[in-house]
Amino acid sequence: MRTNSPWRTTGKTVAVVTLLFFTLFPVYFMLSTAFNARNGSGTDNLLPDHATFDNFTRVFSEHEFGRYLLNSAIVTAAVVVISGALALLGAVAIARFRFRFRSTMLVLILVVQMLPAEALVIPLFLQMKDWRMLNSLLGLILVYIAFSLPFAIWNLRGFVAAVPRELEEAAYLDGCGWWRMFRSILLPLVVPGLVATSAFSFVMAWEEFTFALTFLSKDSVLTVGVGLQHFSTANTNDWGGLMAASTVVTLPVVIVFVLAQRRLGAGLVSGAVK
């Protein structure tokens, strides 16, 4: 049996510790600054002078951060639900049906994913202006859905194609219609892919900044990404408030991935056997 030498074991340990340090230190610094006293700058001490919740209280009392969270929640929920439903139907159509320009459509989906979002800011801004959807959460939702759909359809297509056709044929032989087969056979098997694409759509809509900054200017419709700018001005930076707000913004993403990770590793075949 081959054994690792002490030098190799030490090298692996150093590499893992270094990776963990660079990964976790920004999170620690954010939390340390968020819980630091208000009179501390939060940028010169690795440990807070004394732990306090004043920064979190001030985030919601002195700013309309609760409104920003609600706006982001509305936009994100709409994007996740609508893009998930449309992507699933599109993936089923591409994976299960044969029609003209099917390959062309797949190529176009890949091409759309390659386009940088920054290149489309001005055209989309002019389009939203013509539709009178600037300073509207609906306009932002439409843009986010358009950007999340290509990846969602392409990702779900692989999950749908991996489901054995024999399962669908057996359901048809048992008297199931297409809708019942879709609801009872196909949908449960593609849940892991649907969860993965929904997690992507959630993170994209929750943390997106460029389009929200461009399309939204009224304080009442701002999302959390743009709302974080209120903690920094030309002359001062409220590091305690900024890091407290960043902590609040980060929590939903962490919660979503903790809840979703159980589904992300689920196997399609094992689900079919069950």
Side-chain angles (χ1 to χ4, degrees):
M1 181 180 295
R2 182 180 178 182
T3 59
N4 291 330
S5 64
W7 287 107
R8 177 174 297 180
T9 302
T10 302
K12 290 181 179 179
T13 303
V14 172
V16 171
V17 171
T18 303
L19 179 62
L20 288 175
F21 174 79
F22 282 104
T23 303
L24 298 179
F25 180 77
V27 179
Y28 166 78
F29 186 78
M30 178 183 69
L31 294 175
S32 175
T33 307
F35 287 100
N36 200 0
R38 183 175 183 178
N39 56 6
S41 66
T43 60
D44 52 359
N45 296 322
L46 292 180
L47 293 175
D49 299 331
H50 62 273
T52 178
F53 286 94
D54 290 345
N55 291 321
F56 292 90
T57 303
R58 188 159 45 82
V59 163
F60 291 96
S61 62
E62 298 182 6
H63 302 274
E64 295 188 19
F65 203 71
R67 167 62 65 178
Y68 306 153
L69 286 173
L70 178 61
N71 293 337
S72 290
I74 293 173
V75 172
T76 303
V79 171
V80 169
V81 173
I82 297 175
S83 66
L86 294 178
L88 181 57
L89 295 176
V92 171
I94 292 176
R96 284 293 188 257
F97 300 102
R98 296 294 181 267
F99 50 88
R100 292 185 63 185
F101 305 114
R102 176 176 173 270
S103 300
T104 304
M105 184 176 296
L106 290 175
V107 172
L108 289 177
I109 290 176
L110 288 176
V111 170
V112 170
Q113 292 185 24
M114 298 176 185
L115 292 176
E118 293 76 8
L120 300 176
V121 170
I122 295 178
L124 287 175
F125 175 84
L126 297 176
Q127 186 67 67
M128 291 297 108
K129 183 179 179 181
D130 292 339
W131 289 354
R132 298 183 180 180
M133 285 188 176
L134 295 179
N135 288 314
S136 169
L137 295 182
L138 177 59
L140 201 63
I141 290 172
L142 292 178
V143 172
Y144 289 171
I145 291 175
F147 273 89
S148 62
L149 269 180
F151 172 83
I153 292 175
W154 185 263
N155 191 43
L156 279 175
R157 171 186 169 273
F159 282 86
V160 174
V163 177
R165 289 181 178 270
E166 290 77 9
L167 293 175
E168 301 176 16
E169 295 171 356
Y172 290 140
L173 291 176
D174 290 338
C176 290
W178 187 89
W179 171 247
R180 186 176 179 184
M181 181 281 301
F182 174 79
R183 178 169 51 88
S184 302
I185 303 297
L186 189 60
L187 182 59
L189 298 180
V190 299
V191 164
L194 191 59
V195 171
T197 54
S198 297
F200 165 80
S201 299
F202 176 89
V203 174
M204 187 277 299
W206 184 261
E207 297 183 346
E208 202 282 327
F209 176 77
T210 304
F211 289 112
L213 178 65
T214 305
F215 297 162
L216 307 177
S217 59
K218 292 183 180 179
D219 200 58
S220 59
V221 295
L222 295 183
T223 56
V224 289
V226 183
L228 290 175
Q229 291 187 117
H230 290 180
F231 297 94
S232 298
T233 63
N235 300 320
T236 60
N237 291 315
D238 183 6
W239 293 110
L242 178 60
M243 293 303 172
S246 299
T247 302
V248 175
V249 173
T250 304
L251 283 177
V253 179
V254 175
I255 293 173
V256 165
F257 274 95
V258 169
L259 296 177
Q261 58 89 22
R262 297 178 61 184
R263 282 288 190 179
L264 293 178
L268 295 176
V269 177
S270 61
V273 173
K274 291 181 182 179

